[in-house]
């Protein structure tokens, strides 16, 4: 009776301490059931596991089993199993790692004479990836490949035998596309076309359709790798049917390439690193070939050039010619995405553009609504895209195809992502490098700055090397200064602590009048009764381009709010400094002095396109006091003749 009471107490203590407890009845999960292929000691091996009877092969059966903590993103569980050989006093510890319903990995111990699962090494620590043997379930897999590989790539490959050699044929194509109407399962496989390179002995010509069996992540040598199990159902050789694919997770190459390691057979332990893999593959993203990239219309001529635009999350460099628009979007410090647009049709300010993303298979139509350019600013908005069939080409179009597509894609309702979204604003293209324009705010002001982040405020600094050593001058009055004067009206100078002390003549006594920050105005406009301004500062460590919302609040006071990037949030106003995307607000008060010669000016940007470029000249006197053009020529002729004869006499 005493023993019966102690067992539950020990079990409860082990449970509370987090130690796995062996089950008295040993059963396998249902996904264990079936025939499994693996390479055991370099030879092909088939293993049959029965989940109902608990048998592992023909001569081993489950004796004890411990389930480890379940991984949240996994449908299965890792387990440590104690197998007993039938008819022999031999116990084997098996650490089984679940990867997918088609792939499992295991580590097997030597034969033990003690039938206690607590003696198994996997109870305290599961094995590392290089200690595991990979098993592939011998069924035709039906698993989505989008988590493993998606897109269109040109690749080079190198086989680590017979001297190697890199085969970089332009026809080496990896195609993992979503193709509606395809006889193959959508997203369940991908195609690799290997082509021969004449100067590479190990190159070969073959087209292989791989099916995905599972994806998992493992750590090796202080690096995190992503592994993919592949199956080639069309081959008749068993050892060539299963492959392991490895890539370094979050790899960042300067040329935007992706490196893979591929095994020769179904043995993942041979993949030790990308450089030590049996087959080394380098993927390069390519754009899909389509006739829709042939332009059918022309963009406005004054858009040609290089531009910069700031999206909600990423910034893009933009290149535009008469027919195409090219976006290069930095997704991180190293990775970038390339997008091409080709003009297909236009009506007014709306342009129907075909769109392809380099490295993706989709071809789509999208509508650009372009506001006419003013200064170095182009405002635009992009509507929802309409995906086209991947196989659609010139022969399948009818004569009204573009007209129908324009009506669908460029309808005014389609330019917003939701019919309820009526509170939208234009995105902005900024000429890069910018062409300076006259700043909308001019004059000399003192300012007060507000921000919840200390690093957003303007502070005093020495901009580079001074021409001569600094002298200690007693300054009786330090003030903040914001000015844009007639010397260069395209720049705004900001000084957080300006010495305003003057001498007996009313002149500044400071020998160094170099401002802390110099902002170049790139453009301004009025939208939704808000005045916007773009400035450029090449010394800005966060964003060289900044967007401002400004407003004149009295005859002598102006309010400005600065965004954190070149994009102003929709809810930003001239006093915003506590919202996402706008953390700084500045209040200006006019403080022009006698000898500053810095008259104030203000332009709300209400009609930037209607302002004529007019040069005004001033003169004194009435029109009658001047000679006409003909009279002036006659008078000059008489004067020259008179002087000629005078000198002769």
């Amino acid at each position: 009776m005493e023993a019966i009471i102690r067992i539950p107490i020990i079990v409860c203590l082990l449970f509370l301490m987090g130690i796995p407890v062996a089950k008295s009845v040993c059963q396998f999960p249902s996904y264990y059931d079936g025939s499994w292929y693996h390479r055991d000691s370099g030879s092909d091996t088939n293993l049959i596991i029965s989940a109902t009877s608990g048998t592992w092969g023909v001569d081993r059966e489950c004796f004890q089993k411990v389930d480890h903590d379940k991984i949240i993103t996994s449908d299965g569980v890792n387990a440590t199993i104690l197998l007993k050989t039938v008819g022999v006093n031999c116990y084997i510890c098996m650490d089984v790692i679940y990867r997918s319903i088609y792939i499992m990995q295991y580590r097997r111990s030597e034969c033990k004479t003690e039938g206690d699962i607590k003696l198994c090494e996997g109870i305290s620590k599961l094995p590392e990836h290089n200690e595991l043997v990979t098993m592939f379930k011998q069924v035709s897999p039906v698993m989505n490949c989008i988590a493993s590989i998606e897109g269109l790539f040109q690749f080079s490959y190198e086989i680590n035998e017979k001297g190697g050699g890199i085969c970089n044929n332009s026809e080496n194509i990896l195609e993992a596309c979503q193709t509606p109407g395809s006889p193959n399962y959508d997203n369940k496989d991908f195609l690799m076309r290997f082509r021969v390179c004449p100067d590479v002995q190990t190159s070969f010509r073959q087209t292989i359709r791989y099916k995905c069996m599972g994806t998992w992540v493992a750590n090796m040598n202080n690096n995190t790798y992503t592994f993919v199990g592949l199956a080639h159902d069309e081959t008749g050789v068993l050892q060539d049917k299963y492959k392991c694919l490895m890539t370094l997770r979050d790899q960042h190459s300067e040329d935007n390439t992706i490196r893979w390691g591929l095994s020769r057979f179904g043995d993942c332990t041979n993949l030790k690193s990308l450089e030590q893999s049996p087959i080394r593959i380098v993927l390069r993203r390519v754009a899909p070939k389509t006739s829709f990239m042939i332009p059918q219309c022309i963009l406005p001529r004054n858009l040609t050039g290089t531009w910069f635009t700031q999206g909600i999350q990423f910034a893009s460099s933009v290149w535009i010619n008469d027919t195409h628009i090219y976006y290069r979007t930095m997704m991180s410090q190293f990775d970038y995405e390339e997008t091409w647009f080709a003009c297909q049709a236009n009506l007014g300010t709306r342009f129907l553009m075909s769109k392809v993303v380099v490295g993706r298979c989709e071809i789509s139509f999208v509508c650009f609504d372009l506001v006419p350019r003013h200064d170095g600013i182009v405002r635009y908005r992009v509507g929802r895209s309409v995906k086209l069939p991947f196989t659609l080409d010139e022969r399948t179009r009818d004569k009204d195809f573009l007209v129908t597509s324009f009506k669908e894609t460029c309808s005014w309702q389609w330019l917003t992502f939701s019919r309820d979204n009526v509170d939208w604003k234009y995105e902005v293209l900024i000429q890069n490098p910018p062409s300076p324009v006259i700043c909308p705010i001019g004059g000399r002001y003192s300012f007060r700055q507000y921000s919840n982040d200390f690093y957003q405020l303007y502070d005093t600094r020495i901009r580079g090397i001074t021409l001569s050593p600094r002298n200690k001058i007693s300054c009786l009055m330090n003030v903040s200064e914001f000015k844009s004067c007639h010397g260069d009206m395209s720049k705004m100078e900001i000084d957080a602590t300006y010495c305003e002390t003057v001498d007996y003549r009313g002149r500044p006594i400071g020998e160094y009048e170099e401002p802390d920050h110099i902002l170049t105005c790139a453009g301004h406009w009025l939208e939704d009764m808000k005045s916007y301004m773009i400035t450029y500062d090449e010394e800005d460590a966060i964003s060289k381009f900044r967007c401002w919302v400004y407003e004149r609040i009295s005859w002598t006071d102006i309010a400005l709010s600065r965004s954190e990037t070149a994009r102003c949030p929709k809810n930003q106003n001239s006093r915003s400094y506590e919202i996402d995307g706008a953390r700084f607000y500045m209040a200006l008060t006019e403080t022009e002095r006698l000898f500053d010669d810095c008259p104030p000016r203000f332009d709300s940007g209400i009609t930037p396109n209607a302002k004529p470029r007019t040069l005004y000249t001033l003169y004194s006197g009435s029109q009658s006091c001047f000679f006409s053009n003909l009279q002036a020529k006659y008078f000059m002729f008489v004067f020259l003749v008179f002087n000629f004869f005078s000198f002769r006499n």
Side-chain angles (χ1 to χ4, degrees), residues 76 351 355 416 442 557:
F351 292 82
K355 172 187 174 182
T416 57
D557 297 322

Side-chain angles (χ1 to χ4, degrees), residues 92-294:
I92 297 176
C93 294
M94 299 286 290
D95 298 315
V96 181
I97 309 299
Y98 174 87
R99 299 304 187 186
S100 73
I101 59 175
Y102 303 111
I103 295 178
M104 291 193 301
Q105 294 179 310
Y106 71 88
R107 179 182 64 179
R108 183 177 59 192
S109 70
E110 299 295 333
C111 184
K112 301 177 182 292
T113 58
E114 298 180 359
D116 188 0
I117 197 171
K118 296 179 182 178
L119 301 178
C120 294
E121 184 180 354
I123 292 294
S124 58
K125 182 181 179 181
L126 290 174
E128 300 293 335
H129 189 271
N130 53 8
E131 304 177 80
L132 298 171
V133 177
T134 306
M135 297 193 302
F136 299 87
K137 200 168 191 177
Q138 297 194 70
V139 295
S140 182
V142 182
M143 178 170 286
N144 201 318
C145 288
I146 196 170
S148 308
I149 180 67
E150 182 187 23
L152 197 63
F153 304 87
Q154 184 272 336
F155 66 90
S156 61
Y157 64 94
E158 180 183 8
I159 300 177
N160 193 19
E161 64 177 21
K162 298 180 181 179
I166 300 175
C167 178
N168 190 17
N169 194 317
S170 60
E171 296 182 3
N172 292 337
I173 298 296
L174 187 151
E175 183 180 318
C177 297
Q178 304 177 29
T179 310
S182 172
N184 302 295
Y185 286 106
D186 189 23
N187 279 346
K188 303 298 189 297
D189 53 32
F190 62 91
L191 203 65
M192 291 190 72
R193 299 186 182 94
F194 293 86
R195 294 298 180 259
V196 176
C197 294
D199 55 343
V200 179
Q201 183 180 0
T202 55
S203 62
F204 60 96
R205 182 182 181 88
Q206 187 178 7
T207 300
I208 304 176
R209 183 175 294 277
Y210 286 114
K211 293 185 177 180
C212 299
M213 301 190 71
T215 303
W216 66 95
V217 177
N219 294 322
M220 293 193 312
N221 302 323
N222 298 324
N223 291 319
T224 303
Y225 293 93
T226 299
F227 288 84
V228 183
L230 304 176
H232 181 204
D233 287 345
E234 299 174 3
T235 182
V237 182
L238 186 60
Q239 67 177 2
D240 292 335
K241 182 176 181 179
Y242 301 102
K243 307 282 186 181
C244 284
L245 188 67
M246 178 184 71
T247 183
L248 184 63
R249 193 175 186 183
D250 298 329
Q251 58 178 299
H252 304 289
S253 302
E254 294 182 359
D255 55 356
N256 211 28
T257 57
I258 303 174
R259 298 183 179 273
W260 278 4
L262 183 65
S263 65
R264 290 291 305 274
F265 310 111
D267 189 0
C268 295
T269 56
N270 290 332
L271 300 176
K272 303 183 183 302
S273 67
L274 297 179
E275 293 76 18
Q276 298 177 347
S277 301
I279 302 176
R280 294 180 286 274
I281 298 175
V282 179
L283 302 179
R284 301 171 184 85
R285 296 174 175 88
V286 294
K289 295 181 180 180
T290 173
S291 60
F292 286 105
M293 292 309 294
I294 301 175

Side-chain angles (χ1 to χ4, degrees), residues 259-381:
R259 298 183 179 273
W260 278 4
L262 183 65
S263 65
R264 290 291 305 274
F265 310 111
D267 189 0
C268 295
T269 56
N270 290 332
L271 300 176
K272 303 183 183 302
S273 67
L274 297 179
E275 293 76 18
Q276 298 177 347
S277 301
I279 302 176
R280 294 180 286 274
I281 298 175
V282 179
L283 302 179
R284 301 171 184 85
R285 296 174 175 88
V286 294
K289 295 181 180 180
T290 173
S291 60
F292 286 105
M293 292 309 294
I294 301 175
Q296 307 293 330
C297 62
I298 297 177
L299 297 170
R301 293 295 180 89
N302 60 355
L303 297 187
T304 301
T306 56
W307 304 81
F308 173 85
T309 185
Q310 175 68 53
I312 298 177
Q313 187 174 5
F314 303 110
S316 302
S317 298
V318 184
W319 172 83
I320 303 177
N321 65 4
D322 288 343
T323 56
H324 290 78
I325 300 177
Y326 167 74
Y327 273 70
R328 181 187 174 102
T329 304
M330 298 303 299
M331 313 302 291
S332 66
Q333 184 179 359
F334 304 98
D335 301 330
Y336 58 88
E337 182 181 83
E338 298 174 287
T339 307
W340 285 93
F341 299 91
C343 186
Q344 299 296 317
N346 78 288
L347 178 63
T349 61
R350 291 172 293 169
F351 292 82
L352 177 67
M353 311 289 288
S354 57
K355 172 187 174 182
V356 296
V357 180
V358 177
R360 296 187 182 179
C361 306
E362 294 82 5
I363 304 168
S364 56
F365 276 162
V366 69
C367 188
F368 276 71
D369 180 21
L370 299 172
V371 177
R373 172 181 175 176
H374 53 90
D375 295 328
I377 301 296
V378 176
R379 290 181 292 155
Y380 72 100
R381 56 177 176 155

Side-chain angles (χ1 to χ4, degrees), residues 290-292 388-402 405:
T290 173
S291 60
F292 286 105
L388 301 178
F390 183 68
T391 57
L392 186 63
D393 56 15
E394 186 74 31
R395 294 171 295 178
T396 59
R397 304 188 202 176
D398 55 26
K399 61 180 181 179
D400 297 328
F401 175 75
L402 288 179
S405 300

